Amino acid sequence: MGADGKVFTLQDVSNHNTPQDCWLVINGKVYNVTEFLEDHPGGDEVLLSATGKDATDDFEDVGHSTSARAMMDEFYVGEIDPSTFPTKLKYTPPKQPHYNQDKTTEFIVKILQFFVPLMILGLAVAIRFYTKSD
């Protein structure tokens, strides 16, 4: 629970997404970082873009210092209700057509049906050309 027992939903936190009122969710805790926007070394846009979602990965990927982590305590306003987060969808790759050996045979037959008559025609033209010039 928060310092004063407050538990927020993701929707509650999502409503605080402006430079005048900016809240973040990091490691299950809610922080009001409005007063820190101007001082944030990465700029206010970084913080504003992390509103309305779990910003834990964004925070951890940057590799914040121990002093930066300690500074978070002064912005702490409560806990997040994890049941209010949308469930993560598992990526399911599209179904690939099953390789059918029989289809490959059909394809080869169709190619041969095209090329064999073409080769016979080419051979006939070549024979005609060479026999005519004698």
Side-chain angles (χ1 to χ4, degrees):
M1 294 253 180
D4 51 2
K6 294 218 178 195
V7 177
F8 299 96
T9 66
L10 183 60
Q11 185 59 49
D12 294 334
V13 176
S14 297
N15 292 331
H16 302 272
N17 61 1
T18 68
Q20 295 76 32
D21 185 23
C22 183
W23 289 18
L24 298 178
V25 176
I26 300 170
N27 291 320
K29 296 180 178 180
V30 180
Y31 299 93
N32 180 347
V33 295
T34 308
E35 298 300 317
F36 185 62
L37 287 176
E38 289 182 23
D39 298 326
H40 186 255
D44 63 349
E45 285 300 315
V46 174
L47 298 177
L48 289 167
S49 69
T51 61
K53 65 177 185 170
D54 183 352
T56 303
D57 289 341
D58 296 338
F59 180 81
E60 296 297 341
D61 287 346
V62 173
H64 286 88
S65 66
T66 306
S67 61
R69 291 174 187 277
M71 187 186 298
M72 293 171 64
D73 290 342
E74 66 185 270
F75 303 112
Y76 177 77
V77 293
E79 303 283 322
I80 190 75
D81 178 355
S83 69
T84 62
F85 280 95
T87 56
K88 290 185 178 179
L89 298 176
K90 183 177 180 263
Y91 174 73
T92 306
K95 297 266 185 213
Q96 295 293 324
H98 179 68
Y99 177 71
N100 188 342
Q101 186 67 35
D102 295 335
K103 294 276 185 186
T104 303
T105 307
E106 272 181 43
F107 180 71
I108 291 172
V109 168
K110 286 183 180 181
I111 286 180
L112 289 176
Q113 286 175 339
F114 175 75
F115 281 113
V116 169
L118 199 57
M119 289 180 354
I120 292 171
L121 179 63
L123 184 61
V125 168
I127 290 172
R128 174 83 172 137
F129 179 75
Y130 283 115
T131 56
K132 191 175 193 183
S133 50
D134 285 343

